[in-house]
Amino acid sequence: QVQLVESGGRLVQAGDSLRLSCLASKLTFNLFHMGWFRQAPGKEREFVAAISRSGDSPFYADSVKGRFTISRDNAKNTVNLQMNSLKPEDTAIYYCAATTKLTLRSNEYNYWGQGTQVTVSS
């Protein structure tokens, strides 16, 4: 069974930085594009960032562009999300996901992790 496990979420202050990681298991990692999504209380899950299987085509939501950076290490089967200048509006559960098609649509992703909580206080 394919597993995606996120880590790194915690409580931080506004303006702080945080790095999230996602470890993939039982997956031919370099054949999948990877994405990060988030869901805040009372809201639908939204796209945050995505990266192609080659690592040369990053995409970002307008709300995080310039602050967040997505990267991957195919030798370690990991995808990361570096978050800088965090805002209270970034508070959410963050999910890692894998897809055979590079897409921003959550319903087109094949596998999902269980999420990690990020809380940004003001």
Side-chain angles (χ1 to χ4, degrees), residues 33-35 49-53 55-59 70-72 79 102:
H33 311 288
M34 302 297 296
I51 188 168
S52 70
R53 57 193 179 195
D56 60 2
S57 300
F59 298 89
I70 187 171
S71 62
R72 66 189 296 162
V79 59
L102 188 61

Side-chain angles (χ1 to χ4, degrees), residues 69-81:
T69 302
I70 187 171
S71 62
R72 66 189 296 162
D73 186 339
N74 288 347
K76 297 181 178 180
N77 283 14
T78 58
V79 59
N80 305 305
L81 186 68

